[in-house]
Amino acid sequence: MSEPPFRKILVANRGEIALRVVRTCREMGIRTVVVHSTADRDSAAVRLADEAVQIGPGAPRKSYLYPAMIIEAALRTGAEAIHPGYGFLSEDPDFAEICDKNGIVFIGPHPDVMARLGDKAAARELMAAAGLPVVPGSAEAVSTPGELVETTKRVGLPVIIKAAAGGGGRGMAVVRDWDELLPAFRTTRATARGVFGDDRVYLERYWENARHIEVQVLADNHGTVLHLGERDCSVQRRHQKLIEESPAPLLPPALRDRLTQAAVRGAAAVGYTGAGTFEFLVEGDEAAFIEVNCRIQVEHPVTEAVTGIDLVREQIRIAAGLPVSLTQDEVRPNGVAIECRVNAEDPRRDFAPCPGLLTEFVPPGGQFVRVDTHAYAGWQVPPYYDSLLAKVIVWAPDRDQAIARMRRALGEFRIDGPGVSTTSELLQDVLAEPVFRAGRHSTALLRK
């Protein structure tokens, strides 16, 4: 057995992704340190890690978004690298630079690349220069009402206003009427300032009935860039994904090739390294780039299920300076995988979060069913964080069998607790929708 690429990795995250990273590290013979808030002191990731360090109270800005405490924990425990998971500091180039200055490897792209792609407006320009089609919109951030009106006239209604530093479906507003334009501009800027600390916004033409297709890429420091196929993430509420699958249903092979090659070309053009996701909108035969996610995605397990590739393992190898462990010809997707996100939310109350004590938590099982979760009976779901409780991933030889397997798995899930509601029933309803079963759904499926 070869020596592991690192002796010890600190996981700067929480919940299911922290547990996911810890498990791959253990398989690779790498010791782990999990940092945690007071609200997560009894979490499954803390229990499974080799070491755990409490870094602050429940509020994220005093714990998971507090770089100094995370770096101090890494230095004190002798961690050689930090895996940021997704969310929190995972796409923060300043944090990546701080890691570098302290002699700690940041498991992700180079800070300069992350900064260029993290600015969504700048990323559009970079990808356009690399020859990728982009959604019509502003060439750079829109800063005045006059610029907003002129750009909207050029692009045409409806438009979507987005935070330049945004992500996770936050800091967005769809505008279909001229009277809504300026109020939405002010609201989006205020949200962007409060959530991301950056009030810059940009504008894109809004595609009412688009499919949201994304391409997973891997790139190393030796010049290799390859793709691992695509995922369809069109089932969304408030621009946040609920169901993802691979491959995208009914996607013409020629269009699939265009999207995957565009993602590879875009990654190579900016010197991308690590795991990343290039996101596109597709409407008919038309496709356009919208953004890059410089991190592991929540929905990465569907790609793992159809390719058999451990994406976290590849991230760690690449960060250690090793080449990607396979070639493009060796990437051979097989079958169909679907992921459903089970959130502690009440769909009947506009998806309001439902934190509370889990008195019952029995996940499903069976052949080709994977459940990524940090929750358990007796766990107190904190009110401070994302409401994700579990990701259910199924694999089958074809899409009909995958849908049937997912419906069975969700039907087995038992989650209960005072005041705790979940999206499980809604997910079952979506899976039964004729338009979804036919693979003809779009991002409009759950739009009110």
Side-chain angles (χ1 to χ4, degrees):
M1 183 176 177
S2 60
E3 285 291 314
F6 298 105
R7 293 188 301 274
K8 186 183 290 188
I9 289 176
L10 182 142
V11 184
N13 216 297
R14 64 174 301 278
E16 62 84 19
I17 188 59
L19 192 58
R20 163 77 182 86
V21 174
V22 166
R23 284 173 167 153
T24 285
C25 286
R26 179 160 289 182
E27 291 176 8
M28 296 178 73
I30 300 170
R31 293 179 61 81
T32 53
V33 181
V34 167
V35 294
H36 65 92
S37 70
T38 54
D40 283 330
R41 63 166 62 94
D42 296 322
S43 71
V46 167
R47 294 180 177 188
L48 190 62
D50 296 295
E51 300 173 63
V53 179
Q54 184 172 299
I55 55 170
R61 292 204 174 275
K62 296 182 179 180
S63 52
Y64 299 108
L65 290 171
Y66 196 168
M69 293 299 293
I70 295 172
I71 294 296
E72 193 277 333
L75 294 173
R76 177 151 51 93
T77 58
E80 301 160 284
I82 291 179
H83 195 301
Y86 54 73
F88 294 134
L89 298 171
S90 63
E91 293 183 281
D92 187 333
D94 293 336
F95 179 64
E97 283 191 5
I98 293 170
C99 290
D100 185 59
K101 289 178 180 177
N102 283 276
I104 301 167
V105 176
F106 178 83
I107 299 177
H110 190 276
D112 289 346
V113 173
M114 202 184 312
R116 286 186 287 157
L117 294 177
D119 183 320
K120 309 301 184 185
R124 284 167 46 86
E125 292 186 73
L126 285 169
M127 293 302 108
L132 276 67
V134 299
V135 176
S138 55
E140 54 190 24
V142 175
S143 57
T144 68
E147 292 176 355
L148 177 76
V149 171
E150 285 304 311
T151 305
T152 304
K153 286 180 178 178
R154 176 173 56 82
V155 172
L157 291 173
V159 297
I160 182 167
I161 303 172
K162 296 182 176 181
R170 303 168 80 180
M172 298 184 185
V174 176
V175 178
R176 295 182 174 85
D177 188 276
W178 282 102
D179 291 339
E180 302 169 359
L181 188 63
L182 286 177
F185 177 62
R186 297 188 190 101
T187 300
T188 306
R189 290 190 72 180
T191 300
R193 186 185 308 113
V195 175
F196 305 110
D198 184 341
D199 69 355
R200 292 173 306 122
V201 299
Y202 66 104
L203 182 148
E204 288 179 342
R205 170 76 180 179
Y206 186 62
W207 294 16
E208 292 278 9
N209 296 294
R211 298 174 66 185
H212 190 139
I213 308 293
E214 59 188 29
V215 178
Q216 178 71 60
V217 301
L218 285 175
D220 61 27
N221 294 286
H222 304 272
T224 298
V225 183
L226 52 83
H227 71 82
L228 305 183
E230 85 290 348
R231 301 182 288 254
D232 186 307
C233 306
S234 301
V235 180
Q236 304 176 7
R237 55 96 173 93
R238 297 200 301 266
H239 308 293
Q240 294 180 318
K241 303 161 187 173
L242 286 178
I243 299 177
E244 301 99 352
E245 60 182 300
S246 184
L250 304 182
L251 191 67
L255 182 53
R256 175 177 288 113
D257 288 344
R258 277 168 49 199
L259 294 178
T260 54
Q261 292 309 310
V264 169
R265 190 165 64 251
V270 295
Y272 194 91
T273 54
T277 303
F278 283 68
E279 306 207 1
F280 300 86
L281 292 180
V282 173
E283 203 166 63
D285 291 330
E286 190 175 3
F289 165 86
I290 50 174
E291 66 182 41
V292 182
N293 285 287
C294 301
R295 52 173 168 79
I296 197 81
Q297 291 278 90
V298 179
E299 58 272 22
H300 75 273
V302 294
T303 295
E304 294 184 329
V306 296
T307 64
I309 298 166
D310 184 332
L311 290 178
V312 172
R313 184 185 185 93
E314 292 298 325
Q315 281 188 298
I316 293 170
R317 284 176 48 86
I318 292 167
L322 298 172
V324 175
S325 63
L326 69 165
T327 66
Q328 188 66 70
D329 288 343
E330 292 172 318
V331 179
R332 298 172 183 172
N334 176 45
V336 174
I338 300 175
E339 174 180 291
C340 284
R341 303 190 193 188
V342 179
N343 298 326
E345 298 174 348
D346 188 348
R348 294 163 296 187
R349 294 191 296 122
D350 196 27
F351 296 95
C354 299
L357 177 66
L358 296 179
T359 55
E360 182 180 30
F361 190 86
V362 183
Q367 192 176 33
F368 302 119
V369 175
R370 166 179 167 179
V371 180
D372 282 15
T373 184
H374 59 290
Y376 56 87
W379 167 248
Q380 182 77 33
V381 181
Y384 311 105
Y385 315 116
D386 182 88
S387 60
L388 182 65
L389 283 180
K391 303 184 313 195
V392 181
I393 306 100
V394 303
W395 179 92
D398 60 52
R399 191 168 185 269
D400 286 344
Q401 291 182 66
I403 291 173
R405 181 161 289 150
M406 179 62 79
R407 295 187 69 188
R408 187 270 296 170
L410 290 175
E412 287 182 8
F413 223 141
R414 296 291 179 266
I415 305 173
D416 201 6
V420 176
S421 296
T422 77
T423 53
S424 183
E425 186 175 337
L426 171 70
L427 295 167
Q428 288 268 35
D429 290 344
V430 172
L431 293 169
E433 277 282 339
V435 68
F436 178 83
R437 296 181 67 87
R440 300 187 182 280
H441 56 289
S442 72
T443 53
L445 182 62
L446 292 180
R447 192 181 304 146
K448 291 183 178 179

